[in-house]
Amino acid sequence: DTGVSQNPRHKITKRGQNVTFRCDPISEHNRLYWYRQTLGQGPEFLTYFQNEAQLEKSRLLSDRFSAERPKGSFSTLEIQRTEQGDSAMYLCASRPQFGLLDTTDTQYFGPGTRLTVL
Amino acid sequence: DAKTTQPPSMDCAEGRAANLPCNHSTISGNEYVYWYRQIHSQGPQYIIHGLKNNETNEMASLIITEDRKSSTLILPHATLRDTAVYYCIVRAHLPSSGTYKYIFGTGTRLKVLA
């Protein structure tokens, strides 16, 4: 399977604990996005990487959140001191760099990591 | 940010065409409309996208009105496996990086009935 993969698929933690999620994008996709989806809502943008550089961060990404993509391949999203409001599905998406004639922006999503904070 | 408006839910009989409408009246002139679907507990799956002309692929057809303020996704012969939440999406430009983020609405929950 050459799609976007995310691990773990499910994470249950107690309030106050730290958690880390991993995303492996499609090979050769240099653009990577993180989104958060709460129950009954559509996904909301969190952050964007181009290769290893984190170029965008949403207001939703509080100081307790940090994301990295150290070698421009896989990415990690860490939440410190989790709160019950952090319970959500965390989705990763990737896409290749535009070709010269391609101005579209199809993002390919992984299966997500569902976080439950007790 | 441009917004999309979709009906919260729809039913469709198996084998029939499912027509899912979307309003995106604030979309800018050079912005694409994307459609994704999300089956329970999975990540969103790309279906189709378009700018001005109608588009068709192996999954669906996309009809965009001439004024581009609305569009309709058509699943020509819905099956039980098409039961999902369907999202109509526009992008928002992020000036500092030059990239775009997807703006999802709350989507339409399509139930295909046997």
Side-chain angles (χ1 to χ4, degrees), chain B residues 15-97:
Chain B
R16 297 283 197 166
N19 295 278
L20 294 97
C22 177
N23 180 288
H24 35 78
S25 57
T26 59
I27 194 171
S28 62
N30 60 351
E31 269 300 324
Y32 286 79
V33 177
Y34 297 79
W35 283 82
Y36 280 71
R37 72 180 182 185
Q38 189 172 27
I39 297 170
H40 183 62
S41 295
Q42 298 181 23
Q45 176 192 19
Y46 168 78
I47 301 173
I48 199 167
H49 71 277
L51 180 62
K52 295 179 182 178
N53 300 319
N54 299 337
E55 302 287 346
T56 295
N57 64 19
E58 64 278 4
M59 289 183 69
S61 294
L62 176 60
I63 308 297
I64 302 174
T65 58
E66 193 168 341
D67 64 8
R68 299 200 348 105
K69 292 185 176 181
S70 65
S71 60
T72 300
L73 179 75
I74 301 172
L75 307 178
H77 305 286
T79 71
L80 298 178
R81 288 177 295 181
D82 292 323
T83 293
V85 177
Y86 287 77
Y87 292 101
C88 167
I89 297 163
V90 294
R91 302 181 305 177
H93 188 234
L94 300 171
S96 58
S97 63

Side-chain angles (χ1 to χ4, degrees), chain A residues 33 37 56 104-105 107 110, chain B residues 34 36 38 91 96-97 99 102:
Chain A
Y33 304 77
Q37 184 175 25
E56 292 287 346
T104 63
D105 179 28
Q107 298 180 20
Chain B
Y34 297 79
Y36 280 71
Q38 189 172 27
R91 302 181 305 177
S96 58
S97 63
T99 193
Y102 280 177

Side-chain angles (χ1 to χ4, degrees), chain A residues 29-49:
Chain A
H29 279 196
N30 67 336
R31 316 293 175 100
L32 187 147
Y33 304 77
W34 285 95
Y35 290 80
R36 182 177 71 184
Q37 184 175 25
T38 54
L39 203 61
Q41 303 297 314
E44 295 175 289
F45 171 78
L46 289 179
T47 189
Y48 162 70
F49 287 86

Side-chain angles (χ1 to χ4, degrees), chain A residues 37-77:
Chain A
Q37 184 175 25
T38 54
L39 203 61
Q41 303 297 314
E44 295 175 289
F45 171 78
L46 289 179
T47 189
Y48 162 70
F49 287 86
Q50 182 174 319
N51 298 310
E52 66 277 6
Q54 186 176 19
L55 300 183
E56 292 287 346
K57 288 198 287 187
S58 161
R59 294 190 298 274
L60 296 174
L61 215 65
S62 76
D63 291 345
R64 297 184 296 105
F65 288 68
S66 62
E68 294 182 341
R69 194 181 183 200
K71 297 181 180 178
S73 56
F74 72 91
S75 176
T76 58
L77 178 68

